[in-house]
Coordinates of all heavy atoms in Angstrom, one line a residue:
M1 N 0.8 -1.2 0.0 CA 0.0 0.0 0.0 C 0.9 1.2 0.0 O 2.0 1.2 0.4 CB -1.0 0.0 1.2 CG -0.4 0.3 2.5 SD -1.6 0.4 3.9 CE -1.9 -1.3 4.2
N2 N 0.3 2.4 -0.4 CA 1.1 3.6 -0.4 C 1.0 4.3 0.9 O 0.3 3.8 1.8 CB 0.7 4.5 -1.6 CG -0.8 5.0 -1.4 OD1 -1.3 5.3 -0.3 ND2 -1.5 5.1 -2.5
F3 N 1.7 5.4 1.1 CA 1.8 6.1 2.4 C 0.5 6.6 2.8 O 0.1 6.6 4.0 CB 2.9 7.2 2.4 CG 3.1 7.8 3.7 CD1 3.6 7.1 4.8 CD2 2.7 9.1 3.9 CE1 3.8 7.7 6.0 CE2 2.9 9.8 5.1 CZ 3.5 9.0 6.2
G4 N -0.3 7.1 1.8 CA -1.6 7.7 2.2 C -2.5 6.6 2.8 O -3.3 6.9 3.7
E5 N -2.5 5.4 2.2 CA -3.3 4.3 2.7 C -2.8 3.9 4.1 O -3.6 3.6 5.0 CB -3.3 3.2 1.7 CG -4.0 3.5 0.4 CD -3.6 2.5 -0.7 OE1 -2.5 1.9 -0.7 OE2 -4.5 2.3 -1.6
A6 N -1.5 3.9 4.2 CA -0.9 3.5 5.5 C -1.3 4.5 6.6 O -1.6 4.1 7.7 CB 0.6 3.4 5.4
L7 N -1.3 5.8 6.2 CA -1.6 6.8 7.2 C -3.1 6.7 7.6 O -3.4 6.8 8.8 CB -1.4 8.2 6.5 CG -1.4 9.4 7.4 CD1 -0.4 9.3 8.6 CD2 -1.1 10.7 6.7
K8 N -4.0 6.4 6.7 CA -5.4 6.1 7.1 C -5.4 5.0 8.1 O -6.2 5.0 9.0 CB -6.2 5.8 5.9 CG -6.5 7.1 5.0 CD -7.4 6.7 3.8 CE -7.5 7.9 2.9 NZ -8.3 7.6 1.7
A9 N -4.7 3.9 7.8 CA -4.7 2.7 8.7 C -4.2 3.0 10.1 O -4.8 2.6 11.1 CB -3.9 1.6 8.0
V10 N -3.1 3.8 10.1 CA -2.6 4.1 11.5 C -3.5 5.1 12.2 O -3.7 4.9 13.4 CB -1.1 4.7 11.4 CG1 -1.1 6.2 11.0 CG2 -0.3 4.5 12.6
K11 N -4.2 5.9 11.5 CA -5.2 6.8 12.2 C -6.4 6.0 12.7 O -7.1 6.4 13.6 CB -5.7 7.8 11.2 CG -4.7 9.0 11.0 CD -5.3 10.0 10.0 CE -4.4 11.1 9.8 NZ -5.0 12.1 8.9
N12 N -6.6 4.8 12.1 CA -7.7 3.9 12.6 C -7.2 2.9 13.6 O -7.8 1.8 13.8 CB -8.3 3.2 11.4 CG -9.2 4.1 10.6 OD1 -9.9 4.9 11.2 ND2 -9.1 4.0 9.3
G13 N -6.0 3.1 14.2 CA -5.5 2.2 15.2 C -4.6 1.1 14.8 O -4.3 0.3 15.7
K14 N -4.2 1.0 13.6 CA -3.4 -0.1 13.1 C -1.9 0.3 13.2 O -1.6 1.5 13.2 CB -3.7 -0.4 11.6 CG -5.1 -0.7 11.3 CD -5.5 -2.0 12.0 CE -7.0 -2.3 11.5 NZ -7.5 -3.4 12.3
N15 N -1.0 -0.7 13.4 CA 0.4 -0.5 13.3 C 0.8 -0.7 11.9 O 0.3 -1.6 11.2 CB 1.1 -1.5 14.2 CG 0.8 -1.3 15.7 OD1 0.4 -0.2 16.1 ND2 0.9 -2.4 16.4
I16 N 1.8 0.2 11.4 CA 2.2 0.1 10.0 C 3.7 0.0 9.9 O 4.4 0.4 10.8 CB 1.7 1.3 9.2 CG1 2.2 2.6 9.8 CG2 0.2 1.3 9.0 CD1 2.0 3.9 9.0
A17 N 4.2 -0.6 8.8 CA 5.6 -0.8 8.6 C 5.9 -0.8 7.1 O 5.0 -1.0 6.3 CB 6.2 -2.0 9.3
R18 N 7.2 -0.7 6.8 CA 7.5 -0.9 5.4 C 8.3 -2.2 5.2 O 9.0 -2.6 6.0 CB 8.5 0.2 4.9 CG 7.8 1.6 4.8 CD 8.6 2.6 4.0 NE 9.1 2.0 2.8 CZ 10.4 2.3 2.4 NH1 11.1 3.2 3.0 NH2 10.8 1.7 1.3
E19 N 8.0 -2.9 4.1 CA 8.7 -4.2 3.8 C 10.2 -4.0 3.6 O 10.9 -4.8 4.0 CB 8.1 -4.7 2.5 CG 6.7 -5.2 2.5 CD 6.5 -6.5 3.4 OE1 7.5 -7.2 3.6 OE2 5.4 -6.7 3.8
N20 N 10.6 -2.8 3.1 CA 12.0 -2.6 2.8 C 12.8 -1.9 3.8 O 13.9 -1.5 3.6 CB 12.2 -1.9 1.4 CG 11.7 -2.8 0.3 OD1 11.9 -4.0 0.3 ND2 11.1 -2.2 -0.7
W21 N 12.3 -1.8 5.0 CA 13.1 -1.2 6.1 C 14.2 -2.2 6.5 O 13.9 -3.4 6.5 CB 12.2 -0.9 7.3 CG 11.6 0.5 7.3 CD1 12.0 1.5 6.6 CD2 10.5 0.9 8.1 NE1 11.2 2.6 6.9 CE2 10.3 2.3 7.8 CE3 9.7 0.3 9.1 CZ2 9.3 3.0 8.4 CZ3 8.8 1.0 9.7 CH2 8.5 2.4 9.4
N22 N 15.4 -1.7 6.8 CA 16.5 -2.5 7.2 C 16.2 -3.2 8.5 O 16.5 -4.3 8.7 CB 17.8 -1.7 7.3 CG 18.3 -1.3 5.9 OD1 18.0 -1.9 4.9 ND2 19.0 -0.2 5.8
G23 N 15.7 -2.4 9.5 CA 15.4 -3.0 10.8 C 14.1 -3.8 10.8 O 13.1 -3.3 10.4
K24 N 14.2 -5.0 11.2 CA 13.1 -5.9 11.3 C 12.3 -5.7 12.6 O 12.9 -5.2 13.6 CB 13.5 -7.4 11.2 CG 14.2 -7.7 9.9 CD 13.2 -7.4 8.7 CE 13.9 -7.7 7.4 NZ 13.2 -7.1 6.3
D25 N 11.1 -6.0 12.7 CA 10.3 -5.9 13.9 C 10.0 -4.5 14.3 O 9.8 -4.3 15.5 CB 10.8 -6.8 15.0 CG 10.9 -8.2 14.7 OD1 10.0 -8.7 14.0 OD2 11.9 -8.9 15.1
Q26 N 10.2 -3.5 13.4 CA 9.8 -2.2 13.8 C 8.6 -1.8 13.1 O 8.2 -2.3 12.0 CB 11.0 -1.2 13.5 CG 11.4 -1.1 12.0 CD 12.6 -0.2 11.9 OE1 13.4 0.0 12.8 NE2 12.8 0.4 10.7
F27 N 7.8 -0.9 13.8 CA 6.6 -0.4 13.2 C 6.2 1.0 13.7 O 6.8 1.4 14.8 CB 5.4 -1.4 13.5 CG 5.2 -1.7 14.9 CD1 4.4 -0.8 15.7 CD2 5.8 -2.8 15.5 CE1 4.2 -1.1 17.1 CE2 5.6 -3.0 16.9 CZ 4.8 -2.2 17.6
V28 N 5.4 1.7 13.0 CA 4.9 3.0 13.4 C 3.5 2.9 13.9 O 2.7 2.1 13.4 CB 4.9 3.9 12.2 CG1 4.3 5.3 12.5 CG2 6.3 4.1 11.7
Y29 N 3.2 3.7 14.9 CA 1.8 3.7 15.5 C 1.5 5.1 16.0 O 2.4 5.9 16.1 CB 1.7 2.6 16.6 CG 2.6 2.9 17.8 CD1 2.0 3.5 19.0 CD2 3.9 2.6 17.8 CE1 2.8 3.8 20.1 CE2 4.7 2.8 18.9 CZ 4.2 3.4 20.0 OH 5.0 3.7 21.1
L30 N 0.2 5.3 16.3 CA -0.3 6.6 16.7 C -0.6 6.6 18.2 O -1.3 5.6 18.7 CB -1.5 6.9 15.9 CG -2.2 8.3 16.2 CD1 -1.3 9.4 15.7 CD2 -3.6 8.3 15.6
I31 N -0.2 7.6 18.9 CA -0.6 7.8 20.3 C -1.5 9.1 20.2 O -1.1 10.1 19.8 CB 0.5 8.0 21.3 CG1 1.4 6.8 21.4 CG2 -0.1 8.4 22.6 CD1 2.5 6.9 22.3
K32 N -2.8 8.9 20.6 CA -3.7 10.0 20.6 C -3.4 11.0 21.8 O -2.9 10.6 22.8 CB -5.1 9.5 20.8 CG -5.6 8.5 19.7 CD -6.3 9.3 18.7 CE -6.9 8.4 17.6 NZ -7.5 9.1 16.6
A33 N -3.7 12.2 21.5 CA -3.5 13.3 22.5 C -4.1 13.0 23.9 O -3.5 13.2 24.9 CB -3.9 14.6 22.0
Q34 N -5.3 12.5 23.8 CA -6.1 12.2 25.1 C -5.3 11.1 25.9 O -5.3 11.2 27.1 CB -7.5 11.7 24.8 CG -8.3 11.4 26.0 CD -8.5 12.6 26.9 OE1 -8.7 13.8 26.4 NE2 -8.5 12.4 28.2
E35 N -4.7 10.1 25.2 CA -4.0 9.1 25.9 C -2.7 9.7 26.6 O -2.4 9.3 27.7 CB -3.5 8.0 24.9 CG -4.7 7.2 24.3 CD -4.2 6.3 23.2 OE1 -3.0 6.0 23.1 OE2 -5.1 5.8 22.5
L36 N -2.1 10.6 25.9 CA -0.9 11.3 26.5 C -1.4 12.1 27.8 O -0.7 12.0 28.8 CB -0.2 12.2 25.5 CG 0.5 11.5 24.4 CD1 0.9 12.5 23.4 CD2 1.7 10.8 25.0
S37 N -2.4 12.9 27.6 CA -2.9 13.6 28.8 C -3.3 12.8 29.9 O -2.9 13.0 31.1 CB -4.1 14.5 28.3 OG -3.8 15.5 27.4
T38 N -4.0 11.7 29.7 CA -4.4 10.8 30.7 C -3.2 10.1 31.4 O -3.1 10.1 32.6 CB -5.4 9.7 30.2 OG1 -6.5 10.4 29.6 CG2 -5.8 8.7 31.3
G39 N -2.3 9.6 30.6 CA -1.1 8.9 31.1 C -0.2 9.8 31.9 O 0.4 9.4 32.9
L40 N 0.0 11.1 31.5 CA 0.9 12.0 32.1 C 0.2 12.9 33.1 O 0.8 13.7 33.8 CB 1.6 12.8 31.1 CG 2.5 12.0 30.1 CD1 3.1 12.9 29.0 CD2 3.6 11.4 30.9
H41 N -1.1 12.8 33.2 CA -1.9 13.6 34.1 C -1.7 15.1 33.9 O -1.5 15.9 34.8 CB -1.7 13.3 35.6 CG -1.8 11.8 35.9 ND1 -3.0 11.2 35.9 CD2 -0.9 10.9 36.1 CE1 -2.9 9.9 36.2 NE2 -1.6 9.7 36.3
Y42 N -1.6 15.5 32.6 CA -1.3 16.9 32.3 C -1.8 17.2 30.9 O -2.0 16.3 30.1 CB 0.2 17.1 32.3 CG 0.7 18.5 32.0 CD1 0.6 19.5 33.0 CD2 1.2 18.8 30.8 CE1 1.0 20.8 32.7 CE2 1.6 20.1 30.5 CZ 1.5 21.1 31.5 OH 1.9 22.4 31.2
G43 N -2.0 18.4 30.6 CA -2.3 18.8 29.2 C -3.8 18.7 28.8 O -4.1 18.6 27.7
F44 N -4.7 18.8 29.8 CA -6.1 18.7 29.5 C -6.7 20.1 29.1 O -7.8 20.1 28.6 CB -6.9 18.2 30.7 CG -6.6 16.8 31.1 CD1 -5.7 16.5 32.1 CD2 -7.1 15.7 30.4 CE1 -5.4 15.2 32.5 CE2 -6.8 14.4 30.7 CZ -6.0 14.2 31.8
G45 N -5.9 21.1 29.2 CA -6.3 22.5 28.8 C -7.3 23.1 29.8 O -8.1 24.0 29.4
E46 N -7.4 22.6 31.0 CA -8.4 23.1 32.0 C -7.9 24.3 32.7 O -8.7 25.0 33.3 CB -8.7 22.0 33.0 CG -7.5 21.5 33.8 CD -7.8 20.2 34.6 OE1 -9.0 20.0 34.9 OE2 -6.9 19.5 34.9
Y47 N -6.6 24.7 32.6 CA -6.1 25.9 33.2 C -5.7 26.9 32.1 O -5.2 26.5 31.1 CB -4.9 25.6 34.1 CG -5.2 24.5 35.1 CD1 -4.7 23.2 35.0 CD2 -6.0 24.8 36.2 CE1 -5.0 22.3 36.0 CE2 -6.3 23.9 37.2 CZ -5.8 22.6 37.1 OH -6.1 21.7 38.0
Y48 N -5.9 28.1 32.4 CA -5.5 29.2 31.4 C -4.1 29.0 31.0 O -3.2 29.0 31.9 CB -5.8 30.6 32.0 CG -5.4 31.7 31.1 CD1 -6.2 32.0 30.0 CD2 -4.3 32.4 31.2 CE1 -5.9 33.0 29.1 CE2 -3.9 33.4 30.4 CZ -4.7 33.7 29.3 OH -4.4 34.6 28.4
G49 N -3.8 29.0 29.8 CA -2.4 28.9 29.3 C -1.8 27.5 29.3 O -0.6 27.4 28.9
E50 N -2.5 26.5 29.8 CA -1.9 25.2 29.9 C -1.8 24.6 28.5 O -2.8 24.6 27.7 CB -2.8 24.3 30.7 CG -2.3 22.9 30.8 CD -3.2 21.9 31.6 OE1 -4.4 22.3 31.8 OE2 -2.7 20.9 32.0
P51 N -0.7 24.1 28.1 CA -0.6 23.6 26.7 C -1.3 22.2 26.6 O -1.6 21.6 27.6 CB 0.9 23.3 26.6 CG 1.5 23.3 27.9 CD 0.6 24.1 28.8
R52 N -1.8 21.9 25.4 CA -2.5 20.7 25.2 C -1.6 19.8 24.3 O -0.8 20.2 23.5 CB -3.8 20.9 24.4 CG -4.8 21.7 25.2 CD -6.0 21.9 24.4 NE -7.0 22.7 25.1 CZ -8.2 22.4 25.3 NH1 -8.7 21.3 24.8 NH2 -9.0 23.1 25.9
F53 N -1.7 18.5 24.5 CA -1.0 17.5 23.7 C -1.7 17.4 22.3 O -2.9 17.7 22.2 CB -1.0 16.1 24.3 CG -0.1 16.1 25.5 CD1 -0.6 16.0 26.8 CD2 1.3 16.0 25.3 CE1 0.2 16.0 27.9 CE2 2.1 15.9 26.4 CZ 1.6 15.9 27.7
V54 N -1.0 17.0 21.3 CA -1.5 16.6 20.0 C -1.2 15.2 19.7 O -0.3 14.6 20.3 CB -1.0 17.6 18.9 CG1 -1.4 19.0 19.2 CG2 0.6 17.4 18.8
D55 N -2.0 14.6 18.8 CA -1.7 13.2 18.4 C -0.2 13.2 17.8 O 0.3 14.1 17.2 CB -2.6 12.8 17.2 CG -4.0 12.7 17.7 OD1 -4.3 12.8 18.9 OD2 -4.9 12.5 16.8
V56 N 0.4 12.0 18.0 CA 1.8 11.9 17.6 C 2.1 10.5 17.1 O 1.6 9.5 17.6 CB 2.8 12.2 18.8 CG1 2.6 11.3 20.0 CG2 4.2 12.3 18.3
L57 N 2.9 10.4 16.0 CA 3.3 9.2 15.4 C 4.6 8.8 16.1 O 5.5 9.6 16.3 CB 3.6 9.3 13.9 CG 2.4 9.4 13.0 CD1 2.8 9.6 11.6 CD2 1.5 8.2 13.1
D58 N 4.7 7.5 16.5 CA 5.9 7.0 17.2 C 6.3 5.7 16.5 O 5.5 5.1 15.7 CB 5.6 6.6 18.7 CG 5.1 7.8 19.5 OD1 5.6 8.9 19.2 OD2 4.2 7.6 20.3
I59 N 7.5 5.3 16.7 CA 8.0 4.1 16.1 C 8.6 3.2 17.2 O 9.3 3.7 18.1 CB 9.1 4.4 15.0 CG1 9.4 3.1 14.2 CG2 10.3 5.1 15.6 CD1 10.2 3.3 13.0
K60 N 8.3 1.9 17.1 CA 9.0 0.9 17.9 C 10.2 0.4 17.0 O 10.0 -0.1 15.9 CB 8.1 -0.3 18.2 CG 8.7 -1.2 19.2 CD 8.4 -2.6 18.9 CE 9.1 -3.7 18.6 NZ 10.2 -4.1 17.9
T61 N 11.4 0.6 17.5 CA 12.5 0.3 16.7 C 12.9 -1.2 16.8 O 12.3 -1.9 17.6 CB 13.8 1.1 17.2 OG1 14.1 0.6 18.5 CG2 13.5 2.6 17.3
S62 N 13.8 -1.6 15.9 CA 14.2 -3.0 15.9 C 14.9 -3.4 17.1 O 15.0 -4.6 17.4 CB 15.1 -3.2 14.6 OG 16.2 -2.4 14.6
K63 N 15.4 -2.4 17.9 CA 16.1 -2.7 19.2 C 15.1 -2.8 20.3 O 15.4 -3.1 21.4 CB 17.1 -1.6 19.5 CG 18.3 -1.6 18.6 CD 19.2 -0.5 19.0 CE 20.4 -0.4 18.0 NZ 21.3 0.7 18.4
G64 N 13.8 -2.5 20.0 CA 12.8 -2.6 21.0 C 12.5 -1.3 21.8 O 11.7 -1.3 22.7
D65 N 13.2 -0.2 21.3 CA 13.0 1.1 21.9 C 11.8 1.8 21.3 O 11.4 1.5 20.2 CB 14.2 2.0 21.7 CG 15.5 1.4 22.3 OD1 15.4 0.7 23.4 OD2 16.5 1.7 21.8
I66 N 11.2 2.7 22.0 CA 10.1 3.5 21.5 C 10.7 4.9 21.3 O 11.2 5.5 22.2 CB 8.9 3.6 22.5 CG1 8.3 2.2 22.8 CG2 7.9 4.6 22.0 CD1 7.7 1.5 21.6
Q67 N 10.6 5.3 20.0 CA 11.0 6.7 19.7 C 9.8 7.5 19.5 O 9.0 7.3 18.6 CB 11.8 6.7 18.4 CG 12.2 8.0 17.9 CD 13.0 8.0 16.6 OE1 13.7 7.1 16.3 NE2 12.7 9.0 15.7
V68 N 9.6 8.5 20.3 CA 8.4 9.4 20.3 C 8.7 10.4 19.2 O 9.7 11.1 19.2 CB 8.1 10.0 21.7 CG1 7.0 11.0 21.6 CG2 7.9 8.9 22.7
G69 N 7.7 10.7 18.4 CA 7.8 11.7 17.4 C 8.5 11.3 16.1 O 9.4 11.9 15.6
W70 N 8.1 10.1 15.5 CA 8.6 9.6 14.3 C 8.2 10.5 13.1 O 7.1 11.0 13.0 CB 8.1 8.2 14.0 CG 8.6 7.7 12.7 CD1 9.8 7.1 12.4 CD2 7.8 7.6 11.5 NE1 9.8 6.7 11.1 CE2 8.6 7.0 10.5 CE3 6.5 8.0 11.1 CZ2 8.2 6.8 9.2 CZ3 6.1 7.8 9.8 CH2 6.9 7.2 8.9
L71 N 9.2 10.8 12.2 CA 8.9 11.6 11.0 C 9.3 10.7 9.8 O 10.3 10.1 9.7 CB 9.8 12.8 10.9 CG 9.5 13.9 12.0 CD1 10.5 15.0 11.9 CD2 8.1 14.4 11.9
A72 N 8.4 10.7 8.8 CA 8.6 10.0 7.6 C 9.6 10.7 6.7 O 9.6 11.9 6.6 CB 7.3 9.8 6.8
T73 N 10.5 9.9 6.0 CA 11.4 10.5 5.1 C 10.7 10.7 3.7 O 9.6 10.1 3.5 CB 12.6 9.6 4.9 OG1 12.2 8.4 4.3 CG2 13.4 9.3 6.2
Q74 N 11.3 11.3 2.8 CA 10.7 11.4 1.4 C 10.6 10.0 0.8 O 9.6 9.7 0.2 CB 11.6 12.3 0.6 CG 11.5 13.8 0.9 CD 12.2 14.6 -0.1 OE1 12.4 14.3 -1.3 NE2 12.6 15.8 0.3
T75 N 11.6 9.2 1.1 CA 11.5 7.8 0.6 C 10.3 7.1 1.2 O 9.6 6.4 0.5 CB 12.8 7.0 0.9 OG1 13.9 7.8 0.3 CG2 12.8 5.6 0.3
D76 N 10.1 7.2 2.5 CA 8.9 6.6 3.1 C 7.6 7.1 2.5 O 6.7 6.3 2.2 CB 8.9 6.9 4.6 CG 10.0 6.3 5.4 OD1 10.4 5.2 5.0 OD2 10.4 6.8 6.4
I77 N 7.5 8.4 2.3 CA 6.3 9.0 1.8 C 6.0 8.5 0.3 O 4.8 8.3 0.0 CB 6.4 10.5 1.8 CG1 6.4 11.0 3.3 CG2 5.2 11.2 1.0 CD1 6.8 12.4 3.4
L78 N 7.0 8.3 -0.5 CA 6.9 7.9 -1.9 C 6.8 6.4 -2.1 O 6.5 5.9 -3.2 CB 8.0 8.5 -2.7 CG 7.9 10.1 -2.7 CD1 9.2 10.6 -3.5 CD2 6.7 10.6 -3.4
S79 N 7.1 5.6 -1.1 CA 7.1 4.2 -1.2 C 5.8 3.5 -1.3 O 4.8 4.0 -0.7 CB 7.9 3.5 -0.1 OG 9.3 3.9 -0.1
E80 N 5.7 2.4 -1.9 CA 4.5 1.6 -2.1 C 4.5 0.3 -1.4 O 3.7 -0.6 -1.6 CB 4.2 1.3 -3.6 CG 4.1 2.6 -4.5 CD 2.8 3.2 -4.4 OE1 1.8 2.5 -4.2 OE2 2.7 4.4 -4.7
D81 N 5.5 0.1 -0.4 CA 5.6 -1.2 0.3 C 5.2 -1.1 1.7 O 5.6 -1.9 2.5 CB 7.1 -1.6 0.2 CG 8.0 -0.7 1.0 OD1 7.7 0.5 1.3 OD2 9.2 -1.1 1.3
W82 N 4.2 -0.2 2.0 CA 3.7 -0.2 3.4 C 2.7 -1.3 3.6 O 2.1 -1.8 2.6 CB 3.0 1.2 3.6 CG 3.9 2.3 3.7 CD1 4.3 3.2 2.8 CD2 4.5 2.7 4.9 NE1 5.2 4.1 3.3 CE2 5.3 3.8 4.6 CE3 4.5 2.3 6.2 CZ2 6.1 4.5 5.6 CZ3 5.2 2.9 7.2 CH2 6.0 4.0 6.9
H83 N 2.7 -1.8 4.8 CA 1.7 -2.8 5.2 C 1.3 -2.7 6.6 O 1.9 -2.0 7.4 CB 2.3 -4.2 4.9 CG 3.4 -4.6 5.8 ND1 4.7 -4.2 5.6 CD2 3.4 -5.3 6.9 CE1 5.5 -4.6 6.5 NE2 4.7 -5.3 7.4
I84 N 0.2 -3.3 6.9 CA -0.3 -3.3 8.3 C 0.3 -4.5 9.0 O 0.4 -5.6 8.5 CB -1.9 -3.4 8.4 CG1 -2.5 -2.2 7.7 CG2 -2.4 -3.7 9.8 CD1 -4.0 -2.3 7.5
V85 N 0.8 -4.2 10.2 CA 1.5 -5.2 11.0 C 0.5 -5.9 11.9 O -0.3 -5.3 12.5 CB 2.6 -4.6 11.9 CG1 3.3 -5.6 12.8 CG2 3.6 -3.8 11.1

């Protein structure tokens, strides 16, 4: 699938990955802003000037680490080898 289709899937709660990534067992997923606020007990916007969280794409790396704030490369965006994990 292309990146647009993969992006729709991740917004619907699916984990996505590319067939041609060098690192195996890695995937991208979405953390919703509400989940961050609830988990961190902050960012609900209930106080004047309090910042709010936004949805964020993260990646579970092949080493098993979680990298918060994953950004797609141009190659990722233009690739047709995306799939749902």
Side-chain angles (χ1 to χ4, degrees):
M1 76 175 76
N2 65 38
F3 185 67
E5 294 164 329
L7 192 56
K8 285 180 186 176
V10 82
K11 285 180 177 182
N12 287 321
K14 307 292 185 190
N15 297 334
I16 57 171
R18 288 197 46 219
E19 292 289 340
N20 291 325
W21 271 342
N22 291 333
K24 298 300 178 196
D25 300 321
Q26 61 186 22
F27 57 86
V28 173
Y29 64 100
L30 180 72
I31 296 181
K32 299 269 187 181
Q34 183 62 38
E35 294 172 14
L36 289 170
S37 292
T38 300
L40 297 173
H41 308 288
Y42 181 78
F44 294 101
E46 58 191 336
Y47 304 108
Y48 178 77
E50 180 184 16
R52 293 177 183 235
F53 288 105
V54 295
D55 295 350
V56 62
L57 289 175
D58 301 323
I59 188 168
K60 187 220 125 315
T61 69
S62 57
K63 293 180 182 180
D65 298 328
I66 300 298
Q67 177 185 323
V68 177
W70 175 81
L71 295 174
T73 66
Q74 287 188 26
T75 302
D76 291 330
I77 293 168
L78 297 173
S79 293
E80 300 278 336
D81 65 342
W82 286 95
H83 66 280
I84 295 172
V85 177

